[in-house]
Amino acid sequence: MDILYLMILCSVSLAAIFLVVFIVYAKKGQFEDDESPAVRILFDSDEIKEKDDEEVGNDKEEKEK
């Protein structure tokens, strides 16, 4: 019977830790972007990689200026 109390205590503690982590990341804005994952599947993966490479190249050029 004692192990049951220990397991309940451990599971409630673990749930509380996950809740705190979720609240912290929600306040930081981790879950703000709801649209792009749904739209990303519609694009070809090569187009996304090329666009990302172009943006990285543009950022490097701006930094050099």
Side-chain angles (χ1 to χ4, degrees), residues 15-28:
I17 290 169
F18 281 124
L19 179 64
V20 168
V21 169
F22 174 76
I23 290 172
V24 167
Y25 282 110
K27 287 187 178 184
K28 286 184 178 182

Side-chain angles (χ1 to χ4, degrees), residues 22-58:
F22 174 76
I23 290 172
V24 167
Y25 282 110
K27 287 187 178 184
K28 286 184 178 182
Q30 181 72 28
F31 308 111
E32 292 292 322
D33 190 16
D34 294 336
E35 189 169 325
S36 68
V39 176
R40 189 177 302 147
I41 197 167
L42 300 174
F43 296 110
D44 188 22
S45 62
D46 294 335
E47 293 175 8
I48 294 173
K49 289 179 184 176
E50 289 172 4
K51 186 182 286 186
D52 289 342
D53 291 341
E54 289 174 4
E55 289 176 1
V56 169
N58 291 338

Side-chain angles (χ1 to χ4, degrees), residues 1-24:
M1 192 68 175
D2 291 335
I3 191 71
L4 186 61
Y5 295 132
L6 178 65
M7 290 181 69
I8 290 172
L9 178 65
C10 290
S11 63
V12 170
S13 299
L14 187 62
I17 290 169
F18 281 124
L19 179 64
V20 168
V21 169
F22 174 76
I23 290 172
V24 167

